Short mmCIF file of all heavy atoms in Angstrom, two decimals:
data_model
loop_
_atom_site.label_atom_id
_atom_site.label_comp_id
_atom_site.label_asym_id
_atom_site.label_seq_id
_atom_site.Cartn_x
_atom_site.Cartn_y
_atom_site.Cartn_z
N LYS A 131 -15.07 9.75 15.01
CA LYS A 131 -15.73 8.47 15.40
C LYS A 131 -14.81 7.68 16.29
O LYS A 131 -15.17 6.92 17.15
CB LYS A 131 -16.17 7.68 14.17
CG LYS A 131 -17.54 7.85 13.84
CD LYS A 131 -18.09 6.76 12.91
CE LYS A 131 -19.43 7.13 12.28
NZ LYS A 131 -19.61 6.42 10.99
N ALA A 132 -13.44 7.79 16.01
CA ALA A 132 -12.50 6.99 16.75
C ALA A 132 -12.09 7.78 18.00
O ALA A 132 -11.12 7.45 18.70
CB ALA A 132 -11.22 6.77 15.86
N GLY A 133 -12.89 8.89 18.31
CA GLY A 133 -12.59 9.61 19.53
C GLY A 133 -11.65 10.75 19.48
O GLY A 133 -11.20 11.31 20.46
N ILE A 134 -11.15 11.08 18.24
CA ILE A 134 -10.22 12.09 18.01
C ILE A 134 -10.91 13.34 17.44
O ILE A 134 -11.37 13.23 16.27
CB ILE A 134 -9.00 11.56 17.17
CG1 ILE A 134 -8.19 10.50 17.82
CG2 ILE A 134 -8.14 12.77 16.74
CD1 ILE A 134 -7.30 9.82 16.90
N GLU A 135 -10.92 14.44 18.25
CA GLU A 135 -11.69 15.49 17.74
C GLU A 135 -10.82 16.73 17.27
O GLU A 135 -9.62 16.82 17.67
CB GLU A 135 -12.56 16.06 18.92
CG GLU A 135 -13.78 15.14 19.15
CD GLU A 135 -14.43 15.27 20.39
OE1 GLU A 135 -14.48 16.53 20.93
OE2 GLU A 135 -14.96 14.29 20.96
N GLY A 136 -11.45 17.55 16.47
CA GLY A 136 -10.81 18.86 16.14
C GLY A 136 -9.79 18.79 15.01
O GLY A 136 -9.15 19.80 14.73
N SER A 137 -9.76 17.63 14.25
CA SER A 137 -8.72 17.58 13.22
C SER A 137 -9.04 18.45 11.97
O SER A 137 -8.13 19.06 11.39
CB SER A 137 -8.52 16.14 12.74
OG SER A 137 -9.68 15.65 12.07
N LEU A 138 -10.34 18.59 11.64
CA LEU A 138 -10.72 19.35 10.45
C LEU A 138 -10.19 20.78 10.52
O LEU A 138 -9.54 21.26 9.57
CB LEU A 138 -12.25 19.31 10.24
CG LEU A 138 -12.68 20.01 8.87
CD1 LEU A 138 -12.05 19.29 7.67
CD2 LEU A 138 -14.26 19.96 8.78
N HIS A 139 -10.59 21.47 11.51
CA HIS A 139 -10.16 22.86 11.73
C HIS A 139 -8.60 22.96 11.68
O HIS A 139 -8.08 23.82 11.05
CB HIS A 139 -10.72 23.45 13.01
CG HIS A 139 -10.48 24.86 13.17
ND1 HIS A 139 -10.99 25.90 12.42
CD2 HIS A 139 -9.60 25.48 14.06
CE1 HIS A 139 -10.43 27.01 12.83
NE2 HIS A 139 -9.64 26.77 13.86
N TRP A 140 -8.05 22.13 12.38
CA TRP A 140 -6.52 22.07 12.52
C TRP A 140 -5.90 22.02 11.22
O TRP A 140 -5.02 22.79 10.89
CB TRP A 140 -6.03 20.97 13.49
CG TRP A 140 -4.72 21.18 14.08
CD1 TRP A 140 -4.29 21.77 15.20
CD2 TRP A 140 -3.43 20.78 13.38
NE1 TRP A 140 -2.93 21.72 15.37
CE2 TRP A 140 -2.33 21.15 14.18
CE3 TRP A 140 -3.19 20.13 12.16
CZ2 TRP A 140 -1.01 20.90 13.83
CZ3 TRP A 140 -1.81 19.91 11.78
CH2 TRP A 140 -0.77 20.30 12.66
N VAL A 141 -6.28 20.93 10.39
CA VAL A 141 -5.58 20.74 9.12
C VAL A 141 -5.88 21.85 8.11
O VAL A 141 -4.99 22.21 7.32
CB VAL A 141 -5.79 19.35 8.45
CG1 VAL A 141 -5.39 18.25 9.37
CG2 VAL A 141 -7.35 19.17 8.13
N GLN A 142 -7.05 22.48 8.19
CA GLN A 142 -7.41 23.55 7.35
C GLN A 142 -6.52 24.76 7.65
O GLN A 142 -6.03 25.43 6.74
CB GLN A 142 -8.88 23.91 7.48
CG GLN A 142 -9.77 22.93 6.74
CD GLN A 142 -11.25 23.15 7.02
OE1 GLN A 142 -11.63 23.71 8.04
NE2 GLN A 142 -12.20 22.67 6.15
N GLN A 143 -6.38 25.04 8.94
CA GLN A 143 -5.50 26.10 9.33
C GLN A 143 -4.08 25.91 8.88
O GLN A 143 -3.35 26.76 8.44
CB GLN A 143 -5.45 26.26 10.89
CG GLN A 143 -6.75 26.70 11.44
CD GLN A 143 -7.03 28.25 11.18
OE1 GLN A 143 -7.93 28.59 10.42
NE2 GLN A 143 -6.17 29.07 11.70
N LYS A 144 -3.60 24.68 9.08
CA LYS A 144 -2.22 24.30 8.85
C LYS A 144 -1.89 24.40 7.32
O LYS A 144 -0.92 24.83 6.93
CB LYS A 144 -1.91 22.82 9.30
CG LYS A 144 -0.50 22.49 9.33
CD LYS A 144 0.19 23.12 10.49
CE LYS A 144 1.70 22.98 10.40
NZ LYS A 144 2.38 23.66 11.54
N ALA A 145 -2.82 23.81 6.51
CA ALA A 145 -2.55 23.86 5.05
C ALA A 145 -2.64 25.24 4.48
O ALA A 145 -2.01 25.51 3.45
CB ALA A 145 -3.51 22.88 4.33
N GLY A 146 -3.42 26.07 5.11
CA GLY A 146 -3.64 27.48 4.63
C GLY A 146 -4.08 27.45 3.15
O GLY A 146 -5.13 26.83 2.78
N LYS A 147 -3.28 28.08 2.32
CA LYS A 147 -3.62 28.17 0.88
C LYS A 147 -3.46 26.88 0.12
O LYS A 147 -3.88 26.72 -1.05
CB LYS A 147 -2.77 29.26 0.18
CG LYS A 147 -1.30 28.97 0.24
CD LYS A 147 -0.54 30.10 -0.13
CE LYS A 147 0.96 29.87 -0.26
NZ LYS A 147 1.74 29.37 0.80
N GLY A 148 -2.66 25.97 0.66
CA GLY A 148 -2.32 24.76 -0.05
C GLY A 148 -3.40 23.59 0.01
O GLY A 148 -4.37 23.76 0.74
N THR A 149 -3.18 22.51 -0.79
CA THR A 149 -4.05 21.40 -0.76
C THR A 149 -3.81 20.59 0.49
O THR A 149 -2.59 20.42 0.95
CB THR A 149 -3.87 20.51 -1.97
OG1 THR A 149 -2.51 20.13 -2.06
CG2 THR A 149 -4.33 21.17 -3.27
N ILE A 150 -4.81 20.06 1.12
CA ILE A 150 -4.72 19.28 2.29
C ILE A 150 -4.39 17.83 1.92
O ILE A 150 -5.05 17.22 1.10
CB ILE A 150 -6.00 19.37 3.12
CG1 ILE A 150 -6.22 20.84 3.59
CG2 ILE A 150 -5.93 18.48 4.41
CD1 ILE A 150 -7.54 21.11 4.27
N GLY A 151 -3.46 17.30 2.65
CA GLY A 151 -3.16 15.80 2.50
C GLY A 151 -3.05 15.04 3.74
O GLY A 151 -3.07 15.71 4.82
N ARG A 152 -2.80 13.83 3.65
CA ARG A 152 -2.67 13.00 4.92
C ARG A 152 -1.47 13.43 5.73
O ARG A 152 -1.60 13.29 7.03
CB ARG A 152 -2.58 11.52 4.49
CG ARG A 152 -3.94 10.94 4.05
CD ARG A 152 -3.73 9.51 3.67
NE ARG A 152 -2.99 9.36 2.42
CZ ARG A 152 -2.45 8.21 2.03
NH1 ARG A 152 -2.57 7.15 2.71
NH2 ARG A 152 -1.79 8.25 0.87
N PRO A 153 -0.44 13.98 5.18
CA PRO A 153 0.65 14.46 6.03
C PRO A 153 0.21 15.51 7.02
O PRO A 153 0.72 15.60 8.15
CB PRO A 153 1.70 15.00 5.06
CG PRO A 153 1.52 14.19 3.80
CD PRO A 153 0.01 14.03 3.77
N HIS A 154 -0.85 16.30 6.62
CA HIS A 154 -1.35 17.34 7.60
C HIS A 154 -2.02 16.70 8.79
O HIS A 154 -1.91 17.06 9.90
CB HIS A 154 -2.25 18.38 6.90
CG HIS A 154 -1.63 19.12 5.78
ND1 HIS A 154 -1.75 18.81 4.41
CD2 HIS A 154 -0.72 20.14 5.85
CE1 HIS A 154 -1.07 19.64 3.64
NE2 HIS A 154 -0.43 20.45 4.52
N PHE A 155 -2.79 15.64 8.48
CA PHE A 155 -3.41 14.86 9.55
C PHE A 155 -2.34 14.19 10.44
O PHE A 155 -2.54 14.17 11.64
CB PHE A 155 -4.48 13.78 8.92
CG PHE A 155 -5.74 14.40 8.51
CD1 PHE A 155 -5.96 14.63 7.21
CD2 PHE A 155 -6.74 14.68 9.50
CE1 PHE A 155 -7.19 15.18 6.78
CE2 PHE A 155 -7.89 15.14 9.04
CZ PHE A 155 -8.15 15.41 7.77
N ALA A 156 -1.34 13.70 9.80
CA ALA A 156 -0.25 12.99 10.50
C ALA A 156 0.38 13.95 11.47
O ALA A 156 0.58 13.68 12.70
CB ALA A 156 0.83 12.51 9.60
N GLN A 157 0.62 15.19 11.07
CA GLN A 157 1.12 16.23 11.91
C GLN A 157 0.17 16.57 13.13
O GLN A 157 0.68 16.68 14.21
CB GLN A 157 1.46 17.47 11.04
CG GLN A 157 2.77 18.13 11.34
CD GLN A 157 2.95 19.33 10.54
OE1 GLN A 157 2.49 19.40 9.37
NE2 GLN A 157 3.57 20.35 11.08
N PHE A 158 -1.03 16.65 12.81
CA PHE A 158 -2.07 16.91 13.83
C PHE A 158 -2.03 15.76 14.92
O PHE A 158 -2.00 16.07 16.09
CB PHE A 158 -3.46 16.96 13.18
CG PHE A 158 -4.58 16.80 14.10
CD1 PHE A 158 -5.06 17.93 14.88
CD2 PHE A 158 -5.24 15.61 14.40
CE1 PHE A 158 -6.14 17.77 15.77
CE2 PHE A 158 -6.28 15.45 15.32
CZ PHE A 158 -6.71 16.59 15.97
N LEU A 159 -1.93 14.57 14.45
CA LEU A 159 -1.99 13.37 15.35
C LEU A 159 -0.71 13.34 16.28
O LEU A 159 -0.79 13.07 17.46
CB LEU A 159 -2.12 12.08 14.59
CG LEU A 159 -3.48 11.87 13.95
CD1 LEU A 159 -3.46 10.78 12.78
CD2 LEU A 159 -4.55 11.60 14.94
N VAL A 160 0.37 13.79 15.72
CA VAL A 160 1.66 13.94 16.47
C VAL A 160 1.55 15.00 17.53
O VAL A 160 1.76 14.90 18.64
CB VAL A 160 2.91 14.06 15.55
CG1 VAL A 160 4.10 14.28 16.40
CG2 VAL A 160 3.11 12.69 14.79
#
Side-chain angles (χ1 to χ4, degrees):
K131 265 196 192 153
I134 296 172
E135 284 164 35
S137 66
L138 184 61
H139 181 69
W140 196 96
V141 297
Q142 283 170 339
Q143 292 286 113
K144 191 77 190 174
K147 61 190 187 304
T149 54
I150 298 172
R152 287 177 293 164
H154 298 103
F155 281 99
Q157 225 181 322
F158 165 82
L159 291 164
V160 171

